[in-house]
Amino acid sequence: MNETTRVEWREWGQDAFDEASAEDVPVLLSLTATWCDHCHEMDAETYAEPRIAANVNDSFVPVRVDVDRHPRVRDRYNMGGFPSTVFLAPNGEVLTGAGYLGPDGMRQVLDSVRTMWQTKGDGAARVPRPLREDNPPAGELTAEIEQGMIGHLTDTYDETAGGWGESPKFPLPDALEFALKRDRQMALPSYDAVGANLLDEYDGGFYRFATERDWSGLQREKLLDSNGALVRAFANAYLLTGKDEYREPAERTVEYLTTTLWNDEAEAFANSQAPGEDDAHGLDATDRATADEPPVDGGVFAGPNALAIEGLLTYYAYTDDERARQYAERALETLRGDLLDDGVVAHGLAADGDAAPLLANQARALAALTTAASTLETDVLADATAVADATIDRLHDEDSFLDGPAAGVGLCDRPLRPLDSNVAFADGLLELAVLTGEDRYREFARETLEAFAGASDRFGVQIARYATVVSRLLEGPLVIRVAADPGSDLHRAALRMADHEKVVVPDAALETGTAQVERGDRVSASAETPNELSERVRTVLD
């Protein structure tokens, strides 16, 4: 029995579904996260109520799943947020679901589901739409995709409060970076809003989101993956503007990641920090100094660590910040040594994590490795190539990629093609093609993007990265090849050329001590100094 509830929770696995089938009762699936305040509240107020717990224990097979440790379960059964309360037939199909349920709401739903099951049985169950639809509509990649995304951002831009949409307000780092290159009049006020409202001024690090249009109603959990992405986004804003108002939020977040979220034992970053009892993050500075530190989930997961590595290395590339470099290198060593085996990225260090290769982890690891190859050492390209090849070999299906092997308990045996992870992996393949000279990676990227292009006019601002990657593919990224070791003056100058979508290739096959700039079919003359390199970049871009 769970210590904080009276419900006799089972673990996710075949045994739970076999038990439900043998007893002819539904499964009650509770999706939670350690950082989720409402999840703990539901435990204390709903599942701890004796009659509700008895009802659940007697008439259902209750299963508790931590969404960070089982992302494939999360992606198939998420009801729009956490907690998610999902009722399943013994075959894993969905009877009904909801989010947070208080005691009264839970009583009503339990009675309703019990009646539904008794009258209709598994005939009332269904497969969620993303798992029963055909493949996404393919289409041609054109410049209209980028223009369409600019239109989406313009239509949803909040001129009063900054950011996109009304509520809730998420930081949307991919949208920030897309707009940064294409419409700074939208991008910079949105960066300002995220920095002013979501950055924890006391401890550093970004809160997850705000519930209201004016950025009030802060949800003060801090997640490693979103913080890693925001370090990268704010570092890129600093690169393009040179303003400390964008460097400082990145710097404060690097400090937060390398202190509060650093797991010394694992030599990597911990997963998240909860708001704490009585929302400790919401106290003023005086009270916070004496309050208990909000709890940290020390779990080490590959995908979020890879995002943090990419963010820290991006910040290091523009600032020479040694703290960022050192911690990125330590986490990268753990990623390569403990989480990567023959190109397959393990989900996490903990034994209860998913063992199968997951597209999100593969994509994020590839991005971390290509960033490391551009900034630190080209030797990591062997691992980057292994990750790309293993993903293509094991997850490629028709013209896109599955989230993981089509096998597992419940609906995990149903194929799922997550757009965001496909886009992230295609982006990594483009970078890898430039760094290695292997055009086949570019072709896989093209096929993947084409596989979703028929629906691109419906992609919201959350998928702005799709338009970014299509643009990079069609126009060709700005490529700076440097025949010098990483860390040399010429290499450091290349990293700081003001285009955050560029690819820098150190140790290039050119005359030693020179650099060359490419964009599509345009190739510059050689440069031997940072000033000459800056001139060559302007010439190619003009």
Side-chain angles (χ1 to χ4, degrees):
M1 180 180 295
N2 187 287
E3 292 181 0
T4 59
T5 79
R6 297 173 180 267
V7 175
E8 299 171 357
W9 297 110
R10 277 66 152 182
E11 294 184 359
W12 176 265
Q14 188 61 50
D15 289 348
F17 286 95
D18 289 344
E19 180 182 351
S21 180
E23 297 185 6
D24 193 25
V25 296
V27 171
L28 189 166
L29 173 62
S30 170
L31 297 179
T32 68
T34 59
W35 45 262
C36 171
D37 219 24
H38 293 300
C39 299
H40 301 304
E41 182 181 334
M42 190 170 171
D43 276 351
E45 295 188 1
T46 302
Y47 290 124
E49 206 282 320
R51 285 172 295 182
I52 290 177
N55 193 341
V56 169
N57 292 332
D58 291 344
S59 302
F60 302 87
V61 174
V63 175
R64 170 63 58 89
V65 166
D66 183 308
V67 296
D68 292 322
R69 288 158 172 80
H70 295 279
R72 300 189 75 209
V73 180
R74 173 199 65 204
D75 293 344
R76 284 159 173 75
Y77 292 108
N78 182 6
M79 291 289 118
F82 308 110
S84 281
T85 310
V86 198
F87 294 88
L88 313 177
N91 63 2
E93 295 181 5
V94 177
L95 296 167
T96 189
Y100 176 93
L101 291 171
D104 291 341
M106 178 61 90
R107 291 188 190 96
Q108 295 176 10
V109 172
L110 291 175
D111 290 342
S112 173
V113 172
R114 186 186 298 104
T115 300
M116 179 195 304
W117 183 253
Q118 290 171 349
T119 56
K120 298 181 179 180
D122 57 16
R126 58 183 175 81
V127 176
R129 183 187 302 173
L131 298 174
R132 67 173 186 267
E133 290 182 338
D134 293 332
N135 292 347
E140 182 182 359
L141 301 180
T142 69
E144 293 178 1
I145 291 173
E146 181 182 22
Q147 293 303 313
M149 183 56 66
I150 293 173
H152 283 309
L153 266 71
T154 302
D155 291 342
T156 58
Y157 177 62
D158 187 337
E159 295 186 359
T160 301
W164 293 277
E166 294 188 357
S167 62
K169 280 287 181 66
F170 285 89
L172 302 176
D174 289 344
L176 289 172
E177 291 173 314
F178 175 85
L180 183 63
K181 185 171 180 177
R182 296 160 180 88
D183 192 329
R184 292 196 198 179
Q185 291 184 331
M186 280 194 296
L188 295 183
S190 298
Y191 271 97
D192 294 341
V194 172
N197 294 288
L198 295 186
L199 181 68
D200 180 355
E201 295 183 356
Y202 184 82
D203 280 335
F206 289 92
Y207 300 129
R208 185 163 167 253
F209 71 100
T211 60
E212 304 303 322
R213 179 177 180 178
D214 64 357
W215 299 89
S216 62
L218 293 178
Q219 301 299 293
R220 291 188 171 90
E221 56 268 15
K222 300 180 187 177
L223 276 59
L224 175 60
D225 54 4
S226 58
N227 273 275
L230 285 167
V231 168
R232 183 196 66 208
F234 273 83
N236 284 327
Y238 171 62
L239 171 71
L240 267 65
T241 66
K243 294 182 178 180
D244 283 344
E245 62 198 82
Y246 303 113
R247 178 190 58 79
E248 289 170 359
E251 180 182 44
R252 294 295 314 283
T253 304
V254 169
E255 182 180 359
Y256 170 75
L257 294 179
T258 57
T259 53
T260 303
L261 286 193
W262 181 252
N263 184 324
D264 266 320
E265 182 178 354
E267 282 286 294
F269 297 101
N271 188 57
S272 62
Q273 185 177 33
E277 292 186 16
D278 300 321
D279 194 14
H281 279 142
L283 301 174
D284 61 32
T286 301
D287 291 334
R288 285 186 72 168
T290 59
D292 292 336
E293 183 76 7
V296 169
D297 177 355
V300 171
F301 301 105
N305 265 270
L307 274 174
I309 293 165
E310 183 186 4
L312 266 63
L313 289 180
T314 301
Y315 182 74
Y316 162 71
Y318 307 152
T319 64
D320 286 336
D321 185 274
E322 280 299 301
R323 183 187 189 93
R325 180 188 64 81
Q326 290 170 7
Y327 278 88
E329 285 182 331
R330 292 165 72 182
L332 182 64
E333 185 176 351
T334 297
L335 176 67
R336 298 175 68 192
D338 298 334
L339 292 168
L340 181 60
D341 183 14
D342 198 21
V344 174
V345 183
H347 181 56
L349 291 179
D352 61 351
D354 290 332
L358 305 182
L359 180 60
N361 292 334
Q362 301 289 117
R364 290 174 171 181
L366 180 59
L369 292 164
T370 56
T371 302
S374 287
T375 58
L376 292 179
E377 55 172 315
T378 56
D379 288 350
V380 301
L381 280 176
D383 280 343
T385 300
V387 168
D389 291 345
T391 309
I392 292 168
D393 181 55
R394 300 184 62 169
L395 298 180
H396 191 253
D397 182 75
E398 297 183 10
D399 291 329
S400 60
F401 293 84
L402 302 178
D403 72 319
V409 177
L411 295 177
C412 289
D413 63 353
R414 295 270 183 154
L416 182 65
R417 303 171 192 273
L419 174 59
D420 55 351
S421 295
N422 269 274
V423 170
F425 188 63
D427 203 9
L429 290 175
L430 280 180
E431 299 244 345
L432 187 62
V434 173
L435 288 164
T436 63
E438 293 282 346
D439 285 342
R440 66 189 184 94
Y441 294 126
R442 183 181 290 105
E443 290 310 306
F444 274 109
R446 178 185 295 277
E447 289 179 1
T448 301
L449 296 170
E450 288 175 340
F452 297 90
S456 62
D457 60 333
R458 302 195 296 273
F459 295 165
V461 297
Q462 297 87 349
I463 311 295
R465 190 173 185 179
Y466 179 82
T468 299
V469 185
V470 169
S471 173
R472 294 182 86 198
L473 178 73
L474 294 180
E475 298 177 9
L478 178 68
V479 179
I480 306 177
R481 302 186 187 277
V482 184
D485 294 334
S488 66
D489 287 346
L490 198 58
H491 173 253
R492 289 165 61 242
L495 292 171
R496 294 173 191 186
M497 293 295 113
D499 181 345
H500 64 282
E501 294 175 11
K502 66 183 177 294
V503 182
V504 174
V505 185
D507 293 332
L510 303 171
E511 183 180 347
T512 301
T514 67
Q516 184 173 280
V517 183
E518 303 171 10
R519 181 71 180 274
D521 294 332
R522 304 185 70 180
V523 181
S524 77
S526 295
E528 296 182 1
T529 67
N531 286 338
E532 288 182 355
L533 179 59
S534 182
E535 292 177 4
R536 302 295 187 267
V537 169
R538 283 196 295 271
T539 300
V540 167
L541 292 179
D542 287 344

